[in-house]
Amino acid sequence: MSEDASAARRAAQAVDALRHGWPLAFEDGLTLLPVETAITPDATAPMMLISAARAATLKLANQREAAVPHAPVLIRGGELFNLRMALPIADPALDLNNPFKGPFRATPLPNAETARAAMEFARIAGILPAFLVDPQDAAEPHHVSASDLTQYAGSGALRIITRAWLPVTASEDAEIVAFRSTADTREHVALIIGDQCGDTQPLVRVHSECLTGDILGSLKCDCGPQLNTALDAMAEHARKDGGWGALLYLRQEGRGIGLINKMRAYQLQDQGFDTVDANQRLGLPDEARDFPVAARMLQLIGASKIRLMTNNPAKVEALSKAGITVTERVQHQLPDNPHNARYLATKRERSGHLLK
């Protein structure tokens, strides 16, 4: 097995270890136990690793200027941390029930690269980015290197597994293509509408999964209507112009933070925070989607030049950097409703989405 393959395997095993509550032992000597999922209830540690945004929420004034959502902060308390006291420190949804925490002191972080890797492993695992540092009475750790992270979910490992005819409401002339990567467990699909032998520049929608919007019909976002409108537009393009379209359905819920963390963000939104602030209070990025994977999917279906349905300039830029030529950005704006008006305004005002 090549070194890259070994690194990818160790990284995938590290993600699985975090989901199941096992600690990670990094090659620089730092051992980190995930607070949310830890299976050893008696574990204790002298320090915790949390995000800078979470540290600022906890009134660590000396960290406010550096409060980058995905950055790590090492904190020490007046006594050893155990899991019972660590969970309210990690989870902002518990703030109203546990308003008084601390005092804590931010301490110098000697293992910055390892700490950043740990935060990213936590995001990929879909758990809260908080760890007990060098815990006692913890389970046997999984050994990993911070550099292994670069081999996780490499888009070059993506390949087409199977494809089949799939008539859908928008078009009976549709084909579904299933993709799998050797580097992680996510399985993505593309729905192709129309004849690929026709128009060489398909109409494309890159759509990240949204269980609440796509399946349950949530009114808090515009994901479901965007999905259906995109399919209708592709079908019309195929009928009228003889072209084709492709909807990429990416398995990266909550803009890449995962379903459970997305629900945590919803809970914070119920308390009055917008989508960006809610993610930051969780210590998670407000944008963590893997667009190179989308670019690789497009390349595999023969779509290196596309017309992209989006109001997000960052999505155009990300695909362009990954080797896809976006010849036209096609407006994809839908009316708001009383439940998602603030969400859509936040996307425009804080995430750079366009009105048209």
Side-chain angles (χ1 to χ4, degrees):
M1 182 181 295
S2 70
E3 179 54 36
D4 286 353
S6 296
R9 183 183 65 181
R10 287 193 300 268
Q13 290 172 338
V15 172
D16 188 65
L18 292 181
R19 287 173 177 157
H20 289 87
W22 295 80
L24 300 183
F26 288 85
E27 63 178 4
D28 60 6
L30 192 67
T31 299
L32 299 174
L33 178 68
V35 168
E36 180 184 350
T37 57
I39 59 173
T40 48
D42 296 328
T44 60
M47 294 180 289
M48 278 185 66
L49 185 70
I50 60 176
S51 74
R54 186 62 181 147
T57 301
L58 297 176
K59 309 302 182 185
L60 293 175
N62 59 328
Q63 291 296 329
R64 282 184 185 148
E65 293 300 320
V68 179
H70 216 31
V73 174
L74 197 62
I75 64 171
R76 186 185 297 274
E79 56 184 309
L80 290 176
F81 293 104
N82 58 40
L83 291 171
R84 183 177 179 181
M85 66 183 296
L87 187 57
I89 297 171
D91 190 351
L94 302 177
D95 281 343
L96 294 182
N97 295 327
N98 300 271
F100 298 106
K101 304 181 180 73
F104 304 121
R105 178 170 58 89
T107 64
L109 184 64
N111 316 84
E113 182 182 359
T114 293
R116 286 192 294 269
M119 290 290 173
E120 182 64 7
F121 275 128
R123 183 197 65 78
I124 295 169
I127 65 173
L128 292 168
F131 298 88
L132 295 186
V133 179
D134 294 333
Q136 301 296 315
D137 298 321
E140 186 72 20
H142 170 72
H143 291 268
V144 69
S145 169
S147 62
D148 292 340
L149 188 62
T150 61
Q151 297 302 323
Y152 185 83
S155 59
L158 197 74
R159 61 192 180 98
I160 294 175
I161 300 300
T162 190
R163 53 203 307 162
W165 174 57
L166 184 70
V168 295
T169 302
S171 173
E172 295 183 3
D173 182 19
E175 181 187 33
I176 191 166
V177 184
F179 303 79
R180 180 183 292 156
S181 170
T182 57
D184 66 27
T185 59
R186 296 176 299 171
E187 297 172 332
H188 311 287
V189 298
L191 188 70
I192 298 174
I193 293 178
D195 185 3
Q196 284 189 257
C197 296
D199 187 355
T200 57
Q201 295 185 18
L203 186 62
V204 170
R205 170 68 182 166
V206 176
H207 190 93
S208 296
E209 73 174 325
C210 178
L211 174 69
T212 50
D214 300 340
I215 306 301
L216 302 178
S218 168
L219 298 177
K220 293 188 68 162
C221 64
D222 58 346
C223 300
Q226 280 191 332
L227 174 65
N228 294 326
T229 301
L231 291 175
D232 289 339
M234 292 172 196
E236 183 176 7
H237 176 52
R239 285 194 301 268
K240 289 187 175 181
D241 307 322
W244 63 289
L247 181 127
L248 307 190
Y249 200 82
L250 304 181
R251 303 299 302 277
Q252 42 189 13
E253 182 81 51
R255 300 172 74 89
I257 67 172
L259 179 61
I260 298 299
N261 282 331
K262 174 182 168 181
M263 297 299 99
R264 289 189 172 110
Y266 274 5
Q267 186 178 20
L268 291 172
Q269 290 169 39
D270 291 342
Q271 298 175 21
F273 298 99
D274 67 25
T275 54
V276 173
D277 286 337
N279 280 30
Q280 291 185 357
R281 289 181 74 86
L282 286 166
L284 297 166
D286 59 286
E287 176 59 88
R289 287 176 289 184
D290 188 352
F291 291 119
V293 165
R296 180 60 178 156
M297 291 169 68
L298 289 169
Q299 291 165 350
L300 288 172
I301 63 173
S304 58
K305 294 183 178 181
I306 65 171
R307 299 168 59 228
L308 184 65
M309 300 183 69
T310 184
N311 291 316
N312 185 0
K315 190 178 289 187
V316 176
E317 182 180 1
L319 290 178
S320 298
K321 286 182 177 179
I324 299 299
T325 300
V326 180
T327 60
E328 180 186 358
R329 184 189 65 81
V330 179
Q331 180 184 358
H332 197 44
Q333 181 74 26
L334 298 173
D336 60 15
N337 66 60
H339 303 280
N340 70 12
R342 187 187 181 199
Y343 163 76
L344 296 178
T346 299
K347 287 207 295 185
R348 294 190 298 268
E349 296 166 7
R350 303 194 64 183
S351 301
H353 287 224
L354 303 175
L355 278 171
K356 60 182 181 178

